[in-house]
Amino acid sequence: MDTRRLGSQFGMFIVLLFVTIPGFDCRKPKKFPLIEDKVEHKQSRTPGCWLGGTFYHLEQRWSPALLPHGTMVCVKCECLPVERKGILQHQGQIVCRNIKDECPKPMCDTPVLLPERCCKTCPGQDSSFEDQYSISGKTKGKEVAISGDEHEKQLKGEFIALLVGRNVRGTPVKTKAVAVVRITATNGELRYAVRYNRLDRPKFLQITDANGNVLVETPLVKSKKGERKLCGVWQKIPTVYLQYFREKRLFAVITAAKHTKGLIAGRVVPHEQAAEETFAVVMGSPKAEGIGGVASLEYDHPQQQVKYVISFDGIFEEKDFNGEYYVTVEKNNKIIHQSMGRVGRKSNTLTGTWKMTKKRESKQLARGRLVLRVTSRGGNTVSGNIQPRLTCEVYQSLMSGFQSVKHAPSPAAGTAILDVREQGYISYNIRVVGLDSKVARIRLVGPPNKKGKRKVVANLQNTFKEDIDSFSGWANGTYKKLKADDIDLLLNNKLFINVVTSGKKSSNLRGRVTSIPYHTHFQDVGVYPVTLVPVTAESEGAAAHAWLSMDIGCSLHYDVIVSQATDETFSLMLGTYGNSLMSTAVLGTSEKQEPWTLFETKMMSGSVNSVPEGLFRDLDEGNAFLQVNSGSDIILSGNVTLPNTCWQYAGDIDTDILVDEQREDENEELKFRCYYEGKYFENGDSWKPVVNATCNRCSCNKRIVTCHHVLCPAVTCANPVQGECCPRCPDATEQETRVENTTCQLEGDHRHHNIGDTWHPFLPLSGYTKCVLCKCLPGGVPKCDRLPCPKLDCPADERVRTNPGDCCQVCGPKKERVVTPEVKPLKDIDMVGACTFMDEVFADGSRWHPKIAPFGYMKCVVCRCKTGVYNCGRQKCPRLDCKRKIRKSNSCCYSCDPNQPADDEQQPKDEGMCKFGGRTYRNGEKWRPKTAPNGTVRCAVCKCKNSTSKCRIRCSKKRCANDPFLRDPCCRECQARKNRRKGNSREKSSSKEN
């Protein structure tokens, strides 16, 4: 038995005795700290708590488990932050509380107790007292529960930081680099936007405390559009960090290759001008002095003036402080505005107003042609171009008939994506589908004035190109003639796109341009939403569009926006043309995922793990469709293409496991860490081993370390030369590689490849894939393509792989299709605990196949109703041990091919044979593995016992006794194990004493 786990469970049992002893008032001792894991908490990357080998984030809440009794649902534990002398400690404190006596009385006649719950709730209730309950510090020695409104308020805020070299902790850096970090907090997520000047090859963005301890860290990747802007998202941020932001106790730091402790840094403060800001300036110095500034400009269109607030760092010298400054607005070194003032010694903010006297100044302001400069009496100066405010939000417009001027039904729909560039112009991509007449005008217009007329900002129809044999088409281009008030309208969601056709004199389609929060998949160039058009007559006038992206582990992420012409409830599904029930998936419903209102539209986001294998191939080839169903008559649909390689190995990789590993909280991931060569690796990590590192790659998969040898691609030349690991063809690009000193590297693979090299990429958790081939192009740009597969004329459910490792599928034997009769769900409106699904009522405990129009019942998806809550999932399929797998007609799962040859059949398990490292061993046989979990292969011994391979480290007492400095890797491992056992023993004895 694991002594460490026993100690942790024993400590938990002592604590829970206080909860369950009769006559003991649980409400008086409002908290009781648990015995924490003192061995492993030092290995966590971020502040938090350890308990029983499990890591918990700050402010993370859970119900503890006590074997064999299970989860104690009425005991709520939380990892609270600990401060000492104003500094957040790396190790938090675990506090638990019994909430059984605090459960509120449900406001209904028939409350129910849901599984894994302590308090009863009303049927169909979305949130409960338990969901909002939180232990939040001390008030007169007692914990208090934060209300839902207060908690939501704490999760929002706008912050900003000016980063310069003089603020780097320890040794200030004299550099010309300067950056501004704008942070937006919403619902526990931090979205950051970085704009910089003269910042060369940034590595990481960090949030640190005053002592330099890193709380959050993320790598920085420069924009593919060539802009000096970086975007990203931090998820699951503790609210205590937001509190520190408001108290100005945290710092933002950007590191570089030569400055690992920081190149530039600055304090994070609340952004008080965030709501009014229209333009912004990042101000740098012409000298490498480590100083800079940032300006926030508010544009007032009626008054034709600009109010500015300038924050600076390092402009005024402490020795000869005078405080006088000049603020100038310049164009081509010609001053068009100048003001003078004085600032106090402790102040770092300047304010002022610039009154524009000429019309052309509004154009120059919008198009990035003006420079804002601040100069001190001592001669220090910082300056920068005036640009639209820093944001990473996506500006989009969903156009429909019901949003047109006459609110008329239309069979068409439209989508527009606008991007505000640093130079003050916009790039646009507009797609219209389903038009019944020729496009006459596409305009970007403003809101109506008092007379009901709209200002025309831009005419965009000149770039419109029709599709072949259709009035649908695209309008793609840039518009560079914006004025300052146009940018102000755009940033405040007050612009509209209007499409007029020859058959409609006023408007056929119209939609408001609105901003949506940044997401990581928006940074990919070419990612564009799918436009969904009405299918039925009742749907005309409605519209929708959706973004689809494939996350790590082949998890499908979606963001869908629908017009409010649809009903209150709607669902989103993905399917394949041909009405095959095997290739459909329900992505989400508004009943379970409450969408949020975006002016005249609604938006819903989510991820799906259980995507049928056949859909991956159809998505890649463009044979899939996306559909929104609302009510019984409204159907919106559109063709969708999503390039991916998941279909090539979907049958060989358990995607559910992969997705779970990516989506689970960090405390779940740490359970499956791997210990290898004296280091801990996170589940899913890959790395070069110390032993035999040249041509091997290792990965961690749920505590199991697997090392793979490089898979060499085939060569086509007659005179190949031997490369580092694989034979390669001599190429003229070798000279280019030496000249440019450039190589290619893929994320997750630490191996570098010269220009012209080809290789099979390494996939964590599965090794090298032979179905994808990459090539290093000039300039160090890797290009990866899957090996081509022939197109098949058989349905998706008849496609099979001859061998599990094959890259391509083939058509299997044709089977007669059996039509499954429809099974109508049981309805009873008055039943207690019944579930409502797609406007139908199902009894408590019933099971059914969901009905999706126009395909009917999905027999491979099963829904269950339990005490008012329904859950739907794809049918689970058994794991197969055979090599040849087929899927029969009208079946949801693969089965073993009964006609496979005898030599393809695996050895029966009752013979006791073991497979290890590609070799087969007899029962009782011993061997030394080629790789060991810690790299010490010469002291590792494996043995086959009843079809199970067991490996362990053997240490020679005589050899280790003569090695006091532990130079031998076997001795180092044995000593490390002894130390861990001693730590476990101390923990166990400490638990017994308590």
Side-chain angles (χ1 to χ4, degrees):
M1 179 178 289
D2 190 340
T3 58
R4 181 173 55 187
R5 179 174 297 180
L6 178 61
S8 299
Q9 293 178 359
F10 184 77
M12 178 67 76
F13 180 73
I14 293 176
V15 172
L16 294 179
L17 283 176
F18 291 95
V19 181
T20 57
I21 291 178
F24 183 83
D25 188 357
C26 299
R27 293 172 292 179
K28 292 181 180 179
K30 290 292 183 181
K31 67 176 184 179
F32 30 88
L34 300 183
I35 300 172
E36 297 186 66
D37 198 324
K38 298 182 180 180
V39 178
E40 297 191 39
H41 72 80
K42 296 181 181 181
Q43 300 168 356
S44 61
R45 296 180 179 178
T46 57
C49 304
W50 282 93
L51 181 66
T54 301
F55 178 79
Y56 298 96
H57 293 284
L58 291 181
E59 300 178 2
Q60 184 175 347
R61 302 186 293 270
W62 73 97
S63 293
L66 180 64
L67 298 178
H69 305 289
T71 304
M72 312 299 288
V73 295
C74 289
V75 177
K76 302 299 178 183
C77 296
E78 185 172 352
C79 177
L80 298 182
V82 176
E83 284 190 33
R84 292 176 183 170
K85 296 183 180 180
I87 300 298
L88 180 68
Q89 300 300 301
H90 202 74
Q91 182 183 3
Q93 180 185 17
I94 299 178
V95 176
C96 295
R97 185 172 183 173
N98 191 335
I99 66 169
K100 186 174 182 179
D101 294 337
E102 301 181 33
C103 292
K105 185 178 180 180
M107 304 298 292
C108 58
D109 297 332
T110 57
V112 294
L113 182 62
L114 299 177
E116 302 298 324
R117 291 285 181 168
C118 178
C119 303
K120 291 185 177 182
T121 57
C122 296
Q125 184 176 340
D126 295 330
S127 61
S128 65
F129 168 77
E130 295 179 61
D131 298 327
Q132 301 177 358
Y133 186 85
S134 174
I135 303 173
S136 65
K138 298 182 179 181
T139 302
K140 296 181 180 181
K142 300 180 181 180
E143 284 73 26
V144 296
I146 303 177
S147 66
D149 295 339
E150 182 67 21
H151 183 67
E152 184 178 354
K153 182 179 179 181
Q154 291 184 4
L155 297 180
K156 295 182 179 180
E158 293 279 353
F159 308 94
I160 194 170
L162 170 63
L163 280 60
V164 294
R166 71 192 302 266
N167 290 332
V168 175
R169 188 175 181 273
T171 305
V173 180
K174 291 187 176 182
T175 176
K176 296 181 181 179
V178 60
V180 173
V181 180
R182 182 169 178 173
I183 299 174
T184 302
T186 53
N187 299 326
E189 293 183 343
L190 290 184
R191 288 177 167 82
Y192 63 85
V194 182
R195 181 174 285 170
Y196 58 88
N197 279 334
R198 299 180 179 181
L199 183 61
D200 185 31
R201 290 179 292 179
K203 295 276 290 183
F204 291 97
L205 172 62
Q206 301 173 340
I207 300 298
T208 69
D209 60 15
N211 286 349
N213 299 317
V214 178
L215 305 183
V216 185
E217 182 182 62
T218 185
L220 293 176
V221 180
K222 285 194 174 183
S223 170
K224 298 179 181 178
K225 301 178 182 179
E227 294 187 316
R228 293 171 297 179
K229 182 173 69 173
L230 306 170
C231 303
V233 181
W234 286 316
Q235 297 179 338
K236 301 176 183 177
I237 297 297
T239 56
V240 65
Y241 292 175
L242 302 183
Q243 176 185 342
Y244 291 167
F245 280 155
R246 296 185 179 95
E247 297 173 356
K248 305 179 182 180
R249 295 169 57 181
L250 299 183
F251 296 80
V253 181
I254 291 181
T255 66
K258 295 182 180 180
H259 298 83
T260 56
K261 294 185 179 180
L263 173 63
I264 52 178
R267 188 184 298 272
V268 181
V269 299
H271 192 7
E272 298 176 354
Q273 294 80 32
E276 295 81 17
E277 184 179 87
T278 310
F279 298 92
V281 187
V282 179
M283 311 173 75
S285 173
K287 301 178 182 180
E289 298 176 337
I291 64 176
V294 57
S296 176
L297 287 73
E298 177 188 355
Y299 176 73
D300 188 348
H301 172 63
Q303 300 295 328
Q304 286 294 297
Q305 66 181 13
V306 175
K307 300 177 183 178
Y308 56 82
V309 178
I310 304 174
S311 301
F312 57 87
D313 198 333
I315 298 181
F316 297 97
E317 299 288 345
E318 291 293 336
K319 295 182 293 184
D320 304 321
F321 183 82
N322 182 278
E324 291 185 358
Y325 66 87
Y326 298 90
V327 176
T328 58
V329 179
E330 308 170 3
K331 181 182 183 296
N332 298 331
N333 296 324
K334 181 181 178 181
I335 297 176
I336 61 178
H337 166 76
Q338 179 175 334
S339 64
M340 178 182 174
R342 181 181 294 273
V343 66
R345 182 179 293 272
K346 295 183 179 181
S347 176
N348 65 341
T349 303
L350 312 176
T351 60
T353 302
W354 164 37
K355 181 70 175 181
M356 293 187 294
T357 58
K358 300 178 181 179
K359 290 184 178 181
R360 65 172 177 265
E361 292 176 356
S362 175
K363 299 179 182 179
Q364 295 166 353
L365 174 65
R367 301 170 191 178
R369 298 176 183 176
L370 301 182
V371 174
L372 182 67
R373 185 184 304 274
V374 177
T375 306
S376 69
R377 184 68 178 268
N380 288 336
T381 181
V382 291
S383 62
N385 288 86
I386 300 177
Q387 300 171 334
R389 78 177 181 210
L390 174 60
T391 179
C392 290
E393 295 176 331
V394 176
Y395 289 89
Q396 57 83 41
S397 176
L398 174 62
M399 296 171 283
S400 65
F402 283 146
Q403 296 186 63
S404 62
V405 175
K406 294 186 177 181
H407 307 284
S410 173
T415 296
I417 301 297
L418 284 73
D419 187 15
V420 185
R421 297 300 183 89
E422 293 180 342
Q423 297 81 0
Y425 64 85
I426 60 171
S427 61
Y428 59 88
N429 303 95
I430 302 175
R431 173 67 169 167
V432 289
V433 184
L435 296 175
D436 53 8
S437 56
K438 192 176 182 65
V439 171
R441 291 193 301 271
I442 300 179
R443 287 178 172 177
L444 186 63
V445 299
N449 56 20
K450 295 181 180 179
K451 297 182 180 180
K453 294 184 178 181
R454 296 176 180 267
K455 171 190 174 182
V456 178
V457 176
N459 290 304
L460 310 177
Q461 66 271 10
N462 293 334
T463 59
F464 181 76
K465 293 184 179 180
E466 290 184 352
D467 296 342
I468 300 176
D469 300 328
S470 172
F471 294 114
S472 304
W474 287 88
N476 303 319
T478 58
Y479 186 77
K480 300 183 179 181
K481 297 182 179 180
L482 292 176
K483 298 179 182 180
D485 51 332
D486 299 333
I487 291 182
D488 183 54
L489 292 174
L490 175 63
L491 297 179
N492 289 282
N493 303 316
K494 293 181 180 180
L495 289 184
F496 298 80
I497 293 182
N498 194 37
V499 178
V500 179
T501 63
S502 57
K504 301 279 186 179
K505 294 184 179 181
S506 57
S507 174
N508 188 285
L509 297 173
R510 188 165 67 95
R512 183 191 295 267
V513 180
T514 58
S515 61
I516 58 177
Y518 171 83
H519 191 279
T520 52
H521 66 252
F522 290 145
Q523 67 186 2
D524 297 330
V525 177
V527 175
Y528 194 82
V530 182
T531 306
L532 308 182
V533 298
V535 175
T536 61
E538 294 79 5
S539 308
E540 293 187 359
H545 63 204
W547 285 265
L548 295 181
S549 62
M550 201 69 72
D551 293 341
I552 298 176
C554 296
S555 172
L556 186 65
H557 180 85
Y558 65 87
D559 298 275
V560 58
I561 297 178
V562 301
S563 62
Q564 290 200 5
T566 58
D567 291 345
E568 291 296 324
T569 60
F570 62 91
S571 64
L572 181 68
M573 69 161 292
L574 186 67
T576 300
Y577 291 107
N579 296 359
S580 173
L581 295 183
M582 289 303 306
S583 298
T584 52
V586 178
L587 303 187
T589 64
S590 59
E591 295 174 341
K592 297 192 70 174
Q593 299 163 263
E594 183 177 354
W596 53 282
T597 301
L598 189 66
F599 290 93
E600 300 86 3
T601 60
K602 293 181 179 180
M603 183 173 181
M604 183 176 70
S605 303
S607 297
V608 177
N609 304 335
S610 55
V611 178
E613 178 182 349
L615 267 179
F616 289 131
R617 178 71 175 262
D618 295 319
L619 281 170
D620 189 43
E621 297 180 349
N623 296 326
F625 68 89
L626 196 64
Q627 182 171 301
V628 169
N629 296 333
S630 181
S632 58
D633 300 321
I634 297 180
I635 300 176
L636 308 172
S637 182
N639 179 261
V640 57
T641 300
L642 183 59
N644 69 91
T645 57
C646 296
W647 59 271
Q648 295 181 338
Y649 48 86
D652 302 327
I653 299 178
D654 191 342
T655 56
D656 290 337
I657 295 177
L658 288 175
V659 172
D660 288 344
E661 290 168 357
Q662 299 297 333
R663 293 297 183 186
E664 284 176 345
D665 294 337
E666 184 178 347
N667 65 308
E668 293 295 331
E669 294 176 355
L670 291 174
K671 291 181 180 179
F672 303 114
R673 292 183 303 167
C674 298
Y675 186 77
Y676 188 87
E677 295 179 334
K679 296 181 180 179
Y680 279 96
F681 295 91
E682 304 299 325
N683 185 38
D685 282 355
S686 60
W687 65 92
K688 281 185 179 181
V690 176
V691 181
N692 297 327
T694 305
C695 301
N696 289 284
R697 186 85 180 151
C698 298
S699 60
C700 173
N701 186 5
K702 292 193 173 182
R703 297 182 179 175
I704 299 177
V705 175
T706 306
C707 295
H708 307 266
H709 192 274
V710 170
L711 183 63
C712 296
V715 293
T716 57
C717 55
N719 55 342
V721 296
Q722 182 62 36
E724 182 183 24
C725 298
C726 300
R728 58 187 298 270
C729 295
D731 199 324
T733 53
E734 293 180 2
Q735 180 66 22
E736 185 176 352
T737 299
R738 290 192 291 268
V739 173
E740 294 187 6
N741 192 23
T742 304
T743 59
C744 294
Q745 184 182 18
L746 292 177
E747 183 179 357
D749 189 349
H750 294 187
R751 205 170 307 282
H752 293 265
H753 303 274
N754 295 328
I755 295 177
D757 284 356
T758 59
W759 72 95
H760 292 293
F762 180 85
L763 300 178
L765 306 180
S766 60
Y768 290 93
T769 173
K770 66 179 181 180
C771 301
V772 179
L773 192 65
C774 299
K775 185 175 183 179
C776 184
L777 301 180
V781 179
K783 181 183 179 183
C784 299
D785 297 299
R786 69 178 187 276
L787 298 180
C789 291
K791 290 192 175 183
L792 306 178
D793 55 359
C794 54
D797 56 350
E798 293 183 1
R799 299 172 185 172
V800 297
R801 285 188 179 88
T802 306
N803 296 302
D806 291 347
C807 297
C808 300
Q809 294 177 321
V810 296
C811 291
K814 292 186 177 181
K815 303 289 185 178
E816 294 184 1
R817 298 185 178 274
V818 180
V819 179
T820 303
E822 294 185 354
V823 180
K824 295 185 178 180
L826 177 64
K827 296 184 178 181
D828 190 344
I829 300 178
D830 298 326
M831 296 183 66
V832 177
C835 301
T836 302
F837 178 84
M838 297 298 291
D839 297 330
E840 295 190 70
V841 181
F842 297 86
D844 183 18
S846 62
R847 303 173 61 180
W848 70 94
H849 297 298
K851 184 178 181 181
I852 304 298
F855 304 101
Y857 292 100
M858 302 178 64
K859 65 181 184 63
C860 294
V861 177
V862 179
C863 298
R864 299 173 178 85
C865 176
K866 188 172 183 180
T867 60
V869 178
Y870 70 85
N871 286 288
C872 298
R874 184 174 171 81
Q875 177 179 332
K876 296 295 182 180
C877 297
R879 292 184 177 271
L880 303 177
D881 297 329
C882 53
K883 290 186 176 181
R884 295 192 179 184
K885 305 171 185 177
I886 61 173
R887 189 163 58 192
K888 298 181 180 180
S889 175
N890 207 37
S891 174
C892 298
C893 301
Y894 281 97
S895 60
C896 293
D897 186 359
N899 300 321
Q900 64 180 345
D903 55 353
D904 284 352
E905 297 180 358
Q906 294 186 350
Q907 294 288 343
K909 292 186 178 181
D910 55 3
E911 294 185 5
M913 306 289 283
C914 299
K915 284 191 175 183
F916 187 93
R919 295 186 56 184
T920 303
Y921 298 91
R922 297 185 301 274
N923 188 25
E925 185 176 357
K926 297 181 180 180
W927 69 94
R928 293 189 181 275
K930 295 181 180 180
T931 59
N934 62 342
T936 53
V937 295
R938 61 191 182 89
C939 50
V941 177
C942 298
K943 182 179 180 180
C944 177
K945 185 176 181 181
N946 297 329
S947 302
T948 302
S949 300
K950 295 184 178 181
C951 300
R952 62 175 181 169
I953 302 296
R954 284 188 175 180
C955 303
S956 172
K957 294 183 179 180
K958 182 177 180 181
R959 184 169 65 244
C960 295
N962 298 325
D963 186 15
F965 297 102
L966 302 178
R967 295 187 180 93
D968 189 282
C970 300
C971 298
R972 285 199 302 269
E973 173 63 19
C974 293
Q975 186 62 38
R977 293 191 174 201
K978 289 180 181 179
N979 294 338
R980 288 196 293 269
R981 285 197 294 268
K982 289 180 181 179
N984 295 338
S985 300
R986 287 195 296 268
E987 178 185 337
K988 181 178 179 181
S989 60
S990 176
S991 301
K992 290 182 177 180
E993 291 174 3
N994 294 333

